[in-house]
Amino acid sequence: MLVDQKPGTAFNPQANATQARTMELYRRLGFADEIRALGMPPDFPTDIAYFTRFAKYELARVKLPSSREAKQMISSLSGSWSAAELPHRCNQKFIEPVLRRHAEGCPRSRSTTAGA
């Protein structure tokens, strides 16, 4: 069952990362590859950086591999992930329509709106 106050999917940026365990669930449901296609390009850096102001002085940076590098690390057992799927960077506003489409395609699915 899905309950949400919004009448549709997200339209403003919200969460921007999907954890490995959630990606495993998407794989079991058959659409992990579809979600991965929505994310950043495979060579896009996923570093986390801290700045004094937007695009001003960098205070610190946590170096993280691109999705391509992470996949290579996993296959060579040199990565730090122990899950069957890698985490994935993609904004929730792009993922929600995919989730909704798959939920609506389920045989027991039915859509209702609040106040209807």
Side-chain angles (χ1 to χ4, degrees):
M1 176 186 292
L2 174 63
V3 179
D4 196 337
Q5 292 180 345
K6 297 184 313 278
T9 59
F11 53 89
N12 289 323
Q14 294 181 7
N16 70 356
T18 303
Q19 297 305 316
R21 303 292 182 224
T22 303
M23 290 304 299
E24 286 178 9
L25 197 81
Y26 293 165
R27 182 189 46 169
R28 286 186 200 125
L29 293 170
F31 53 85
D33 290 339
E34 187 176 354
I35 297 291
R36 287 201 186 278
L38 298 172
M40 302 303 244
D43 292 329
F44 195 85
T46 60
D47 295 359
I48 299 170
Y50 298 90
F51 296 87
T52 56
R53 293 184 182 170
F54 184 72
K56 287 285 182 179
Y57 304 103
E58 186 172 323
L59 299 172
R61 178 174 294 267
V62 178
K63 295 292 262 175
L64 296 171
S66 68
S67 63
R68 178 172 287 146
E69 292 167 334
K71 195 172 185 178
Q72 290 169 346
M73 292 166 123
I74 294 280
S75 64
S76 67
L77 300 177
S78 60
S80 60
W81 288 279
S82 61
E85 289 282 340
L86 294 169
H88 181 60
R89 277 262 174 95
C90 183
N91 196 283
Q92 181 178 339
K93 74 178 191 173
F94 301 115
I95 292 176
E96 278 190 8
V98 173
L99 298 178
R100 183 177 182 140
R101 188 176 75 254
H102 283 279
E104 288 173 341
C106 291
R108 295 183 189 172
S109 167
R110 73 176 185 183
S111 178
T112 61
T113 57

